[in-house]
């Protein structure tokens, strides 16, 4: 720990101690008076503030609300204030989406909240803001420094509690109010926000134990102030009170920034929350400092957290999404307020989107890599976790990029809320077109290789993970998935990542889903590549490296290796080569180097579809309109089995969203043999689900598989 970190942590500890002592034995205050910096207030606002202090407070509060709402017209996102948007969103392309938003808002009226992958959850009537209804545990009303949010026995799953208390359901109510003008949505907003302030006094409870969560509320509350603008329910008194609470939230975030605790999406979203408050509410005391601090952090962290090739450093597609969403809000809000953003931000953001574009599967979805908690910065439209079309739509307009327009497919609702109705005309002038087809696309900094044969919906794609276990700081959101693969064929997803399922709710399931056992890679002697420690840490961090890539007519090759099994009594090195032949099929060559005899377990996790062992050791995964054949060759005797939904130990499970778990087939091919050993897997897509397997035979040289010979065709050599 360097001097800067020591000083920073010491200040935070001092703040916590002072807060705790100040609250000890006292009733916590619910009064959060709003303070203004008169240096940044013009004459009209100064008069209102004088009247607020010495004159008719109710009249002054009304004038203050009108004053700020007028100023926010020029400062906030264009769509939230665009009257033409209401008519556009009720038109045919968006009518179904609008109906879904109304259904979501009606659920909130009933006290039901769509939380992560759990679906509608009830937190009681009235709402218990400290309750995890999944485990039925309620966190204590103590000073936040006395609560461990990762302690399941104390708080349940804090992720579930926090998701409710991010107040993102305000978007459902606010959008519904904008669509319909129905006052019941606005009254619900007033009732719930007032109740939340009553039962979450500053500094008390689990909802104050994270600066990230406070920043999330700043963002949601700023949107609520705009979406409920003009409603009788948003009284001048409530508006003034919410300004005071936003100010307190911003001070809390500023004081407890995650500079060293979680300098990842925690820090960037906290910075965005400060930038929101400091940019939109410029006259509040501290606002100028918040805006400058948020700007500095966001510029600095995109250089630290995003590799030059656009890969987010935590090796997670969901957190990549989260980061792209954060920076899209940042650059749009900055441009709206004439705040200069350095070019490095636009460069890295554009590269992040380009990386996501290449990960995009033929069916338009994005694969899971690393942790996925199902969270959003701001769900202007609630989408499935693998649906990135909203990001692509906004990015296409922002950067006039035809590739992103192709990936979006159509102008997304999110783009209209962020950019206003003018986005429709801009979209119509944007020609959507895919990028050139590259059979081999390498992201060396982040550690991914993507192979594909087309950009159409019937294409083939394989993703080869050659990167590290998580980011260089902690690996907290990384999985032990070194050299794993995911594969789609004829537009259908066959080999997939298992997902995440949970963080702190169940340690055993947490460890399974992030283990090597749940991924399409190789286990040695019954061990995975890394041993989990706590929910977001590992006992060791193995390294992987991309050795080389090669592209030549009819074949592209990528080869990588890792050192995860170097600590065995007889160390083993795993090297994997992926070959894409004629843009039609793949060979996966696994070489295990070392000495002595070892138990080798080669695993392939399939999507939730029928998978069966056939004659001659073929495995057939049957899709809707295609199939994927798989066969493993070795000079050693192999034993194959398919596990699905097994519990002791876990085998064959997928989690499409946080809190969801379903059985799905996993192939395990095992052998016990002396090293060195080679196992070669053929992945052979079939355009017809019931088409026969090809006739072929292995080529053996010097005791190992050296290639495959197809009947009546040329040989495929493996050097």
């Amino acid at each position: 720990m360097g001097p800067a970190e020591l000083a920073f942590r010491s200040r935070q500890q001092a703040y916590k101690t002072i807060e705790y002592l100040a609250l000890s034995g006292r009733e916590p205050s619910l009064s959060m008076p709003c303070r203004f910096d008169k240096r940044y207030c013009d004459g009209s606002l100064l008069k209102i503030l004088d009247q607020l202090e010495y004159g008719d407070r109710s009249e002054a509060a009304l004038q203050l609300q009108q004053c700020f709402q007028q100023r926010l017209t020029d400062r906030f996102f264009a769509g939230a204030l665009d009257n033409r948007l209401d008519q556009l969103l009720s038109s045919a392309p968006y009518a179904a989406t609008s109906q879904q938003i109304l259904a979501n808002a009606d659920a909130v009226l009933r006290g039901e909240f769509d939380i992560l992958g759990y679906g509608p959850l009830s937190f009681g009537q009235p709402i218990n803001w400290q309750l995890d209804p999944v485990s039925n545990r309620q966190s204590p009303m103590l000073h936040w420094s006395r609560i461990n949010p990762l302690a399941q026995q104390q708080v349940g799953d804090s992720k579930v509690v926090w998701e409710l208390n991010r107040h993102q359901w305000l978007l459902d109510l606010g959008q519904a109010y904008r669509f319909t003008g129905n006052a019941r949505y606005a009254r619900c907003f007033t009732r719930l926000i007032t109740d939340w302030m009553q039962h979450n006094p500053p500094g008390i409870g689990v909802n104050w134990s994270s600066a990230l969560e406070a920043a999330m509320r700043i963002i949601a509350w700023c949107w609520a102030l705009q979406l409920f603008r003009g409603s009788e329910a948003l009284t001048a008194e409530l508006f003034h009170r919410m300004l005071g609470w936003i100010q307190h939230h911003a001070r809390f975030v500023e004081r407890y920034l995650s500079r060293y605790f979680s300098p990842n999406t925690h820090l960037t979203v906290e910075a965005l929350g400060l930038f929101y408050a400091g940019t939109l509410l410029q006259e509040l005391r501290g606002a100028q400092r918040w805006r400058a601090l948020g700007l500095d952090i966001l510029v600095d962290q995109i250089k630290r957290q995003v590799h030059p090739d656009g890969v987010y450093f935590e090796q997670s597609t969901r957190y990549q999404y989260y980061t792209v969403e954060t920076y899209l809000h940042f650059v749009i809000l900055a441009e709206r307020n004439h705040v200069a953003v350095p070019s490095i931000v636009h460069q890295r953001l554009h590269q992040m989107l380009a990386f996501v574009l290449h990960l995009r599967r033929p069916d338009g979805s994005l694969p899971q890599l690393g942790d996925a908690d199902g969270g959003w910065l701001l769900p202007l439209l609630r989408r499935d976790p693998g649906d990135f079309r909203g990001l692509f739509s906004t990015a296409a307009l922002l950067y006039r990029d035809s590739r992103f327009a192709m990936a979006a497919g159509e102008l997304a609702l999110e783009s209209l809320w962020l950019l206003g109705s003018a986005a429709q005309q801009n979209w119509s002038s944007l020609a959507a077109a895919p990028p050139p087809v590259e059979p081999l696309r390498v992201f060396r900094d982040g550690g991914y290789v993507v192979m594909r044969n087309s950009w159409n919906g019937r294409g083939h794609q394989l993703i080869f993970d050659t990167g590290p276990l998580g980011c260089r700081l902690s690996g907290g959101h990384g999985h032990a998935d070194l050299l794993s693969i995911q594969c789609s064929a004829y537009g259908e997803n066959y080999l997939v990542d298992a997902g995440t399922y949970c963080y702190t709710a169940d340690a055993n399931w947490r460890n399974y889903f992030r283990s090597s056992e749940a991924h399409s890679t190789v286990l040695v002697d019954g061990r995975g590549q890394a041993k989990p420690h706590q929910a977001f840490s590992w006992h060791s961090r193995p390294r992987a490296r991309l050795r080389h890539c090669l592209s030549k007519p009819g074949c592209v090759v990528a080869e990588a290796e890792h050192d995860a099994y170097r600590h065995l009594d007889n160390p083993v090195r795993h090297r994997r080569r992926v070959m894409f032949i004629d843009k039609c099929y793949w060979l996966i060559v696994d070489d295990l180097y070392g000495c002595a005899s070892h138990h080798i377990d080669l695993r392939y996790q399939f999507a939730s579809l029928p998978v069966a062992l056939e004659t001659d050791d073929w495995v057939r995964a049957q899709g809707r309109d295609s199939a994927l054949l798989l066969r493993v060759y070795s000079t050693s005797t192999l034993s194959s089995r398919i596990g699905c939904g097994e519990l002791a130990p876990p085998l064959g499970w997928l989690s499409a969203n946080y809190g969801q778990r379903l059985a799905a087939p996993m192939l395990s091919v095992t052998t016990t043999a002396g090293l060195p050993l080679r196992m070669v897997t053929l992945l052979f897509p079939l355009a017809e689900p019931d088409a026969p397997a090809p006739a072929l035979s292995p080529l053996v040289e010097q005791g190992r598989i050296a290639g495959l010979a197809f009947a009546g065709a040329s040989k495929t050599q493996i050097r």
Side-chain angles (χ1 to χ4, degrees):
M1 189 181 298
E5 181 178 355
L6 181 61
F8 186 84
R9 289 182 179 272
S10 297
R11 284 195 301 272
Q12 287 190 335
Q13 187 59 46
Y15 290 143
K16 284 190 281 189
T17 302
I18 292 169
E19 284 181 15
Y20 173 71
L21 293 175
L23 289 171
S24 296
R26 298 183 184 180
E27 191 71 23
S29 174
L30 299 175
S31 175
M32 290 292 112
C34 187
R35 306 298 185 189
F36 295 86
D37 190 333
K38 295 185 177 181
R39 294 174 298 172
Y40 301 100
C41 299
D42 58 19
S44 61
L45 183 55
L46 287 173
K47 290 180 181 179
I48 296 173
L49 295 181
D50 285 341
Q51 187 177 356
L52 193 64
E53 188 170 357
Y54 302 111
D56 184 344
R57 289 185 59 84
S58 60
E59 176 62 25
L62 180 60
Q63 293 179 17
L64 181 71
Q65 180 183 23
Q66 294 170 345
C67 176
F68 265 91
Q69 287 181 334
Q70 181 58 43
R71 294 173 188 219
L72 287 170
T73 300
D74 298 323
R75 297 174 183 174
F76 204 69
F77 296 91
L81 306 170
D82 190 339
N83 293 328
R84 293 171 295 176
L85 196 62
D86 299 340
Q87 182 178 0
L88 178 60
L89 294 178
S90 63
S91 63
Y94 303 103
T97 300
S98 299
Q99 288 301 312
Q100 182 58 51
I101 290 173
L102 293 178
N104 294 339
D106 290 341
V108 176
L109 294 180
R110 298 191 301 269
E112 298 174 357
F113 298 88
D114 188 3
I115 301 295
L116 305 171
Y118 291 104
L121 289 178
S122 173
F123 292 78
Q125 291 287 356
I127 292 173
N128 184 338
W129 301 101
Q130 283 73 40
L131 175 68
D132 166 19
V134 178
S135 65
N136 200 31
R137 284 194 170 87
Q138 177 179 334
S139 58
M141 292 299 289
L142 304 173
H143 186 260
W144 65 270
S145 64
R146 271 38 185 182
I147 299 173
N148 179 4
L150 301 183
Q152 200 267 348
Q153 292 297 322
Q154 186 182 30
V155 302
D157 188 348
S158 57
K159 179 67 183 169
V160 174
V161 181
W162 282 342
E163 199 70 23
L164 173 73
N165 287 275
R166 290 178 173 183
H167 294 176
Q168 294 177 341
W169 40 265
L170 286 175
L171 272 293
D172 298 315
L173 292 174
Q175 289 171 325
Y177 176 74
R178 279 286 302 274
F179 294 158
T180 66
N182 194 320
R184 62 179 183 155
Y185 298 117
R187 290 194 297 268
C188 183
F189 147 69
T190 298
R191 175 174 56 83
L192 295 183
I193 284 296
T194 303
D195 187 71
W196 190 89
M197 290 188 286
Q198 179 70 29
H199 292 94
N200 290 272
I204 302 298
V206 71
N207 296 318
W208 288 101
S209 61
S210 168
L212 169 65
E213 304 307 315
M216 288 286 202
R217 285 194 291 274
I218 290 174
I219 294 169
W221 284 28
C222 286
W223 275 85
L225 290 178
Q226 297 309 299
L227 293 174
F228 292 107
R229 179 176 177 169
S231 72
E232 293 182 0
L234 181 54
T235 63
E237 179 186 359
L238 178 59
F239 185 92
H240 189 202
R241 189 179 181 193
M242 287 182 68
L243 289 185
W245 278 72
I246 290 173
Q247 186 175 42
H248 181 81
H249 274 74
R251 287 198 298 259
F252 182 87
V253 173
E254 179 184 24
R255 183 171 288 180
Y256 298 108
L257 283 165
S258 301
R259 283 193 181 274
Y260 299 102
F261 169 69
S262 294
N264 44 35
T265 52
H266 281 241
L267 184 56
T268 51
V269 174
E270 290 161 11
L272 182 66
L274 292 177
F275 189 77
Y276 254 81
T279 301
L280 299 174
L281 306 172
Q282 298 172 19
E283 295 80 7
L284 294 187
R285 188 179 297 174
Q288 301 298 317
R289 189 175 65 251
W290 303 332
R291 181 168 73 171
L293 180 57
L295 174 66
D296 288 346
I297 292 173
L298 286 164
V299 173
D300 175 66
Q301 289 300 312
I302 202 167
K303 294 180 285 188
R304 294 174 181 268
Q305 297 188 26
V306 181
H307 297 298
D309 61 5
V311 179
Y312 178 63
F313 77 150
E314 289 198 285
Q315 310 297 123
S316 160
T317 43
R318 190 63 202 178
Y319 285 91
Q320 177 117 3
Y321 179 104
Y322 209 174
T323 302
V324 170
E325 192 182 10
T326 297
Y327 278 92
L328 284 175
H329 277 241
F330 169 52
V331 298
I332 294 171
L333 193 59
E335 181 178 350
R336 181 85 170 161
N337 289 273
H338 311 290
V339 177
V341 174
S343 60
I344 185 65
V345 174
H346 291 286
Q347 292 168 8
R348 292 287 168 93
L349 178 55
H350 196 269
Q351 286 300 107
M352 290 189 81
L353 286 153
F355 170 62
V356 172
L357 177 67
H358 283 276
L359 283 187
R360 180 179 176 270
R361 297 186 289 206
D363 69 351
S365 67
L366 268 292
Q368 295 193 89
L369 294 168
D371 274 348
D373 67 358
W376 310 76
L377 174 72
L378 195 74
L380 292 164
L381 177 63
R382 297 184 184 275
R383 296 180 179 271
D384 292 334
D387 187 348
F388 284 34
R389 288 176 296 173
L391 294 190
F392 282 126
S393 171
T394 303
L397 291 164
L398 189 65
Y399 294 115
R400 306 300 299 169
D401 195 310
S402 60
R403 303 173 304 164
F404 300 156
M406 178 277 299
E410 62 183 7
L411 177 62
L413 184 77
E414 297 96 318
S415 303
L416 293 169
W417 283 114
L418 294 171
L419 301 172
S421 58
Q424 186 180 37
Q425 182 177 353
N426 294 333
W427 183 267
S428 63
S429 65
L430 187 61
V437 176
E438 298 177 81
L440 180 67
R441 182 62 186 261
V442 182
F443 297 88
R444 289 186 178 275
D445 300 320
Y448 294 100
V449 175
V450 182
M451 300 174 178
R452 72 169 66 243
N453 68 350
S454 78
W455 285 98
N456 66 45
R458 289 280 289 174
H460 301 343
Q461 183 212 44
L462 183 141
I463 300 169
F464 184 22
D465 186 345
T466 65
L469 196 166
C471 74
R472 62 184 178 277
L473 300 177
S474 69
H477 286 305
H479 289 186
D481 57 359
L482 307 184
L483 309 192
S484 65
I485 63 167
Q486 299 190 53
C487 179
S488 301
Y490 290 107
E492 300 192 64
N493 305 321
Y494 284 100
L495 297 176
V496 298
D497 185 272
T500 299
Y501 181 55
C502 68
Y503 284 161
T504 61
D506 188 305
N508 291 329
W509 282 113
R510 167 62 172 158
N511 291 337
Y512 171 73
F513 274 97
R514 60 175 172 160
S515 71
S516 305
E517 286 87 338
H519 293 86
S520 298
T521 188
V522 172
L523 312 180
V524 176
D525 293 339
R527 302 186 187 186
Q529 297 162 349
K531 184 179 179 182
H533 183 214
Q534 297 175 336
F536 298 101
S537 61
W538 301 83
H539 284 286
S540 62
R541 299 276 305 285
R543 296 171 297 177
R545 70 184 183 102
L546 181 63
R547 286 172 49 84
H548 70 265
C549 294
L550 176 66
S551 183
K552 59 184 181 180
C555 179
V556 296
V557 182
E559 183 173 281
E561 66 181 9
H562 68 75
D563 64 357
Y565 300 116
R566 69 187 185 279
H567 298 303
L568 297 177
D569 292 339
N570 293 293
V572 175
R573 180 160 46 95
H574 177 205
R575 181 177 298 171
R576 171 168 278 186
R577 189 183 325 157
V578 179
M579 306 171 65
F580 192 23
I581 313 297
D582 296 329
K583 300 181 184 178
C584 292
Y585 64 93
W586 291 272
L587 290 179
I588 315 297
V589 183
D590 288 299
D591 285 310
L592 288 305
Y593 297 99
C595 61
S597 180
H598 294 269
H599 181 74
I600 307 301
D601 186 351
L602 172 60
R603 295 192 170 190
Y604 290 104
Q605 177 62 62
F606 287 90
S608 182
L609 42 73
V611 178
L613 286 167
E614 298 185 339
T615 58
D616 297 326
D617 298 320
W618 285 102
V619 176
R620 182 183 296 263
Q622 197 152 10
R624 297 180 305 276
D625 301 309
S626 65
L628 180 70
L629 291 180
L630 183 153
R631 186 171 176 179
V632 181
Y633 297 89
S634 179
T635 55
S636 178
T637 301
L638 303 178
S639 176
S640 300
R641 79 178 190 93
I642 296 172
C644 186
E646 297 180 8
L647 295 173
L651 179 71
W653 293 95
L654 293 183
S655 175
N657 200 353
Y658 192 96
Q660 293 180 353
R661 188 182 78 215
L662 73 157
M666 172 173 271
L667 172 67
S668 172
V669 181
T670 60
T671 186
T672 299
L675 302 190
L677 173 71
R678 171 172 288 179
M679 302 171 77
V680 177
T681 304
L682 170 64
L683 300 178
F684 197 85
L686 295 174
E688 300 294 334
D690 299 320
L696 55 83
S697 58
L699 304 175
V700 179
E701 294 179 5
Q702 298 179 348
R704 65 178 188 174
I705 305 297
L708 298 177
F710 287 79
S714 60
K715 301 174 182 178
T716 299
Q717 298 285 345
I718 304 170
R719 63 176 176 83

